[in-house]
Amino acid sequence: MSRPSKKRSPRRASPPPKKPGLFRRWLLPPTLFVLGLSLGLLVPWVVWLDHQAGQRFEDRQWTQASRVYARPLELYPGLAISASDLIFELQASGLSQGAPASIGQYRHNGDRFDIHLPGFAFPDGAQPPSRLSLGLSQGRIGQIDSPQGTLTRVPPAELGSLMPLDDRDRTLVSLPDFPPLLIVGIQAVEDRAFNHHHGVDPRGLARATWANLRHGQLVQGGSTITQQLVKNLFLTPDRSLVRKFNEAVMALSLERRFSKADILEAYLNEVYLGQDGPNAIHGFGRASEYYFGLPVQALAPEQIALLIGMVRGASWYHPVRNPQRALNRRNLVLDMFLETGLLTAAEHADARSRPLGVNTRTQRGQRGQSDFMDLVARQLRQDYRDRDLRGTGLRIFTTLSPSAQRHAEQALAAGLADVERQPNELQGAIVLLEPASGEIRALVGDRQPSRRGFNRALDARRPVGSVIKPFVYLLALAQPDRYHLASTLNDEAISVPLPGQPAWEPRNYDGESQGEVALMDALGRSLNQATVQLGLDVGVPALMRVLRQLGVEPGNDVHPSALLGAIELSPLQVAQLYQALASEGYSTPLRAITDVINAEGESIGRYPMQMRPIRDREALALLDFAMRHAVTDGTGRSLSWRLPNDPGVRGKTGTTNDRRDAWFAGYSSDWLGVVWTGRDDNQPANISGSSAALPVWARLFSQLSIDHQPTSWPDSIDWYWVDWPSPLLASEDCPNARALPFIAGSQPSQLSPCIPEPESERRWPWQRR
């Protein structure tokens, strides 16, 4: 029997496949594509950012402005200086009046000074911070109480800078040289987890947000110090997610490649802290110099707090433009110092009670002395290329005296105002130097020293007039067998024939002839006719040679009018000529620079004195005596009342044709000054050396501290009484007797009728020992 067949259940039809969802069908593929593309682009971008951050940080080259400094004021017992000049020098160096317990402060009570000097790296070695006290008596320093001994140097005033091409002004400081409070204080305010994060700090961002909400103002930033450094060094300041992403990646890269110390040192030298005109101030080193006139090592807690507070916004918290806002910000930073234990309650209260103390007047930005800086730049260009001077951090030490420069600027402005007939009709220039060293202490090329442009002290080449005459007489006195101070010259009208030209007929200033005159009188009274007679005898070519020997190129024109100063020279060149006269026979090139120090503290350029003795020192000694006669009895005799405290000045006036130019060159044992006045358009100004230039010179020298030192005479000089103004030997008892110096053997041989014939047993009464 057959088995019954199983009944097959009907086969279930499989459900139709589900249609893909909207996401899988339309969104997933492009999402995966975009994600893949993003990863493909992002990974190389991150790798490139990582490489760039490390490479650029490692290869960075800081640029520093090259600083130009004045000469350092040396304080020692016996130094001649007034209280007002000492105060000016201290303030020019960045010190301010206050409590001398703080570095960079001084206090004075009458003639008593207590000074706390900051440290400074001089070319010959560093001088640490020091506190000293001194007293002034009759215009001189008495005893000095100082750990440096009897000689202490005030850090020199900063005159200006040679800026790098990026106009970023900074002073590089290594991390160990920053004050500890600044190092930990910047972390307490800007990035408390700096030593623990890896470049980005999410918890710090949250903490900063909470702190800002709690204080109701921006007191903390969310970016780490590393992120801020990345933004300052590599990125633009725009606010975007892309920039923040790049900043975070590069911050992580720096943290992975470099130490915390490297990053912090770079940050402290790079952070932006304000503007000095067109130049951006970067780093705490430069900011401390600019705002307080102090090296960063000398900053007090309240000063550190102010600079740290400015990191959040240097313009917003600028202490000069926004003092109250800056004060509030500084006090808030001091509160954070207290909160984090960086200051005790007593230190916090003391710092909070102090004013901002920003030294706005001496913000190292005294932009005066532009004419002197012009001279410095010219001397530097003789030895350095411009790109070697900019951005390399050189320190250039010069010879300028800030107090003497101030006196020279004031003397020129006030002196011209006194003598001119119409306001601002006249211009002028002054060169002031120490004759023994040839170091220029002041240089003014415009009656408005802040105005830059034509530098008359260097570039105004004008006829020098009678200031050239002493060199004609020097040539004559160098021939003692023919000339001495009492030699007779003929001051009569003279006609000098010239080939192919009309004869030259010089006349005296007043048009009058004086007949026979003594040589010393002819110079003192500036007699043109007598001078030409003498000059033709010694020779115009000889005059040109002596000018070249003294360091001045007079040109190739040998016209006899050169004997009366028809030679165009600048005030600086005239000062070069007179330096040899004022230094008792030692010629040296004038200099404005003493040292050039590189960023590593090594000397790369010295400008030592180059002394060269003049051969005819005896003749120079006689000329020096005659120049004194020109001041006491000649064209410069008005100095007797213009300069009552006369230290034995010697000098010579000069006036050119049509009274266009007025000159005076005068010197004492420790100062030489040359003054020129005239009109820029070279029109007649109705001035003379004695009426225009000499008063300016006297106004300047009346403000200088001058030593009264006796003249040293060569051993070969003998003194004799003469019956002045005749060249006859006399006795001291003769009515017109005058003692004159003579080179040994050159004295007159004839006797004056006022003395009897000497007896053979008796010593000559006309010789003075």
Side-chain angles (χ1 to χ4, degrees):
M1 160 170 201
S2 60
R3 290 182 181 176
S5 59
K6 291 184 179 178
K7 191 176 180 180
R8 293 183 180 178
S9 59
R11 182 180 247 175
R12 244 183 230 179
S14 54
K18 290 184 178 180
K19 292 183 178 181
L22 181 63
F23 175 77
R24 291 177 61 190
R25 186 175 181 182
W26 298 105
L27 297 181
L28 182 59
T31 300
L32 293 176
F33 175 77
V34 171
L35 181 61
L37 182 62
S38 300
L39 289 175
L41 295 175
L42 186 62
V43 171
W45 179 250
V46 170
V47 172
W48 184 82
L49 286 176
D50 175 73
H51 173 75
Q52 284 292 305
Q55 189 69 38
R56 290 169 64 180
F57 187 82
E58 189 171 13
D59 294 343
R60 75 193 186 282
Q61 292 184 349
W62 297 117
T63 58
Q64 296 187 78
S66 294
R67 313 278 179 221
V68 183
Y69 296 97
R71 64 94 181 89
L73 175 64
E74 294 184 343
L75 303 176
Y76 56 88
L79 173 67
I81 189 169
S82 65
S84 60
D85 279 356
L86 179 55
I87 291 173
F88 185 83
E89 292 276 353
L90 294 175
Q91 292 179 349
S93 297
L95 280 76
S96 57
Q97 189 166 356
S102 300
I103 295 178
Q105 305 270 313
Y106 73 91
R107 179 176 58 207
H108 78 99
N109 183 10
D111 288 335
R112 191 71 188 172
F113 285 79
D114 292 314
I115 308 168
H116 202 159
L117 297 174
F120 190 83
F122 292 97
D124 58 355
Q127 177 178 285
S130 61
R131 186 171 177 179
L132 62 104
S133 61
L134 59 86
L136 298 179
S137 177
Q138 297 181 344
R140 293 182 181 274
I141 293 180
Q143 185 175 358
I144 295 180
D145 296 324
S146 168
Q148 305 297 327
T150 58
L151 175 63
T152 301
R153 289 178 291 188
V154 178
E158 185 181 312
L159 304 181
S161 304
L162 301 176
M163 296 301 301
L165 297 179
D166 61 4
D167 290 329
R168 293 191 172 196
D169 194 4
R170 65 165 58 83
T171 298
L172 290 180
V173 181
S174 61
L175 187 62
D177 292 332
F178 282 106
L181 180 60
L182 177 56
I183 294 175
V184 295
I186 192 69
Q187 297 175 55
V189 175
E190 293 296 322
D191 188 358
R192 295 189 182 182
F194 175 71
N195 291 315
H196 306 290
H197 62 64
H198 299 288
V200 179
D201 182 20
R203 287 184 297 179
L205 179 60
R207 183 171 56 250
T209 302
W210 170 245
N212 294 337
L213 291 173
R214 184 159 49 92
H215 285 87
Q217 59 177 308
L218 186 65
V219 296
Q220 290 186 29
S223 297
T224 64
I225 282 178
T226 314
Q227 287 176 279
Q228 294 180 46
L229 178 62
V230 165
K231 182 181 68 174
N232 292 337
L233 286 179
F234 310 133
L235 303 176
T236 61
D238 64 297
R239 302 191 175 202
S240 66
L241 291 177
V242 173
R243 202 268 292 163
K244 291 297 292 183
F245 174 78
N246 293 344
E247 177 187 291
V249 172
M250 299 180 90
L252 292 169
S253 175
L254 290 190
E255 291 275 355
R256 183 171 60 87
R257 294 168 180 262
F258 301 98
S259 69
K260 292 286 187 180
D262 291 338
I263 293 171
L264 186 58
E265 181 179 291
Y267 176 80
L268 295 175
N269 282 298
E270 173 59 25
V271 62
Y272 173 72
L273 289 168
Q275 288 287 136
D276 179 11
N279 305 317
I281 299 170
H282 283 262
F284 285 91
R286 183 56 182 164
S288 65
E289 296 170 346
Y290 178 74
Y291 291 109
F292 302 111
L294 294 172
V296 68
Q297 300 87 349
L299 292 182
E302 67 275 8
Q303 296 167 326
I304 291 174
L306 175 62
L307 296 183
I308 290 177
M310 292 177 65
V311 171
R312 286 289 93 195
S315 298
W316 185 254
Y317 296 113
H318 196 282
V320 177
R321 293 193 296 269
N322 305 304
Q324 188 58 49
R325 191 182 297 156
L327 182 64
N328 295 338
R329 175 65 178 167
R330 184 206 70 176
N331 290 342
L332 183 60
V333 172
L334 288 172
D335 294 343
M336 298 174 74
F337 285 0
L338 177 65
E339 174 190 339
T340 53
L342 301 181
L343 293 179
T344 66
E347 292 170 335
H348 169 263
D350 179 67
R352 231 178 179 276
S353 67
R354 295 183 180 274
L356 289 176
V358 174
N359 200 349
T360 56
R361 194 188 67 80
T362 62
Q363 283 182 351
R364 323 303 274 174
Q366 297 177 32
R367 296 299 182 231
Q369 310 101 17
S370 59
D371 297 320
F372 180 83
M373 289 288 288
D374 185 13
L375 174 60
V376 169
R378 297 187 195 194
Q379 292 192 354
L380 286 172
R381 290 193 197 106
Q382 297 175 5
D383 301 313
Y384 301 94
R385 297 172 299 180
D386 188 64
R387 68 172 179 264
D388 296 331
L389 295 172
R390 295 183 178 275
T392 54
L394 299 180
R395 295 192 305 145
I396 301 155
F397 292 86
T398 73
T399 61
L400 183 126
S401 163
S403 57
Q405 179 72 21
R406 178 186 62 156
H407 293 317
E409 293 172 356
Q410 293 175 346
L412 184 62
L416 293 181
D418 282 348
V419 301
E420 62 190 357
R421 295 170 300 178
Q422 299 177 1
N424 297 315
E425 175 189 25
L426 297 178
Q427 264 292 355
I430 293 178
V431 179
L432 179 69
L433 57 103
E434 288 187 1
S437 64
E439 294 184 352
I440 298 171
R441 296 299 183 217
L443 187 141
V444 187
D446 194 299
R447 65 186 296 169
Q448 297 182 22
S450 60
R451 180 168 55 193
R452 298 190 179 190
F454 185 53
N455 190 341
R456 294 162 188 82
L458 307 184
D459 300 323
R461 296 175 64 93
R462 305 291 283 260
V464 296
S466 296
V467 296
I468 205 70
K469 289 178 180 176
F471 303 96
V472 177
Y473 287 79
L474 175 64
L475 290 169
L477 293 171
Q479 305 176 41
D481 56 330
R482 302 182 61 208
Y483 293 105
H484 50 67
L485 294 178
S487 295
T488 299
L489 301 182
N490 189 19
D491 184 64
E492 296 291 348
I494 182 174
S495 179
V496 182
L498 299 173
Q501 302 178 44
W504 179 53
E505 299 179 345
R507 295 293 180 263
N508 287 338
Y509 179 78
D510 59 4
E512 300 292 331
S513 299
Q514 303 300 318
E516 291 187 347
V517 293
L519 182 147
M520 188 169 72
D521 251 355
L523 176 60
R525 296 164 63 185
S526 200
L527 300 177
N528 291 339
Q529 297 169 158
T531 301
V532 171
Q533 298 273 14
L534 182 65
L536 292 175
D537 185 46
V538 299
V540 178
L543 174 63
M544 299 300 171
R545 282 196 302 272
V546 76
L547 298 184
R548 291 188 180 97
Q549 290 170 1
L550 295 177
V552 171
E553 176 52 56
N556 297 320
D557 188 2
V558 291
H559 193 282
S561 61
L563 298 168
L564 299 182
I567 301 173
E568 293 185 350
L569 300 177
S570 69
L572 184 68
Q573 289 176 305
V574 173
Q576 178 68 75
L577 292 176
Y578 272 73
Q579 180 274 328
L581 306 186
S583 64
E584 299 184 353
Y586 289 92
S587 177
T588 183
L590 305 187
R591 59 180 183 153
I593 305 170
T594 57
D595 288 281
V596 178
I597 309 296
N598 65 16
E600 289 72 39
E602 302 165 338
S603 175
I604 62 172
R606 290 190 178 276
Y607 296 76
M609 286 187 294
Q610 302 174 18
M611 304 297 291
R612 184 173 63 86
I614 302 300
R615 182 182 60 184
D616 302 311
R617 293 195 63 207
E618 293 85 359
L620 277 169
L622 300 186
L623 180 63
D624 185 82
F625 186 85
M627 299 276 282
R628 176 61 178 166
H629 176 71
V631 169
T632 57
D633 299 274
T635 57
R637 58 186 176 275
S638 65
L639 273 179
S640 61
W641 59 268
R642 295 184 187 275
L643 193 68
N645 190 22
D646 183 356
V649 168
R650 284 83 81 195
K652 185 69 187 74
T653 57
T655 308
T656 62
N657 289 344
D658 299 323
R659 305 182 74 175
R660 300 171 189 266
D661 303 280
W663 294 83
F664 186 74
Y667 57 89
S668 65
S669 58
D670 45 7
W671 293 105
L672 162 63
V674 173
V675 174
W676 167 82
T677 63
R679 290 176 53 135
D680 280 342
D681 59 7
N682 201 27
Q683 292 299 307
N686 195 32
I687 55 176
S688 67
S690 59
S691 67
L694 186 148
V696 173
W697 188 98
R699 185 184 291 268
L700 167 60
F701 269 61
S702 67
Q703 298 300 312
L704 299 176
S705 297
I706 302 177
D707 282 329
H708 296 251
Q709 296 181 359
T711 302
S712 60
W713 295 91
D715 294 336
S716 55
I717 295 295
D718 289 334
W719 289 77
Y720 288 87
W721 295 101
V722 297
D723 188 7
W724 185 257
S726 69
L728 302 175
L729 294 177
S731 166
E732 183 178 3
D733 299 327
C734 290
N736 298 320
R738 171 174 284 187
L740 295 183
F742 293 87
I743 298 175
S746 68
Q747 69 274 8
S749 57
Q750 294 182 320
L751 304 182
S752 168
C754 71
I755 61 173
E757 288 290 334
E759 299 176 8
S760 58
E761 299 85 0
R762 216 170 55 165
R763 182 180 163 187
W764 291 0
W766 51 82
Q767 186 171 17
R768 172 187 172 190
R769 293 295 184 186

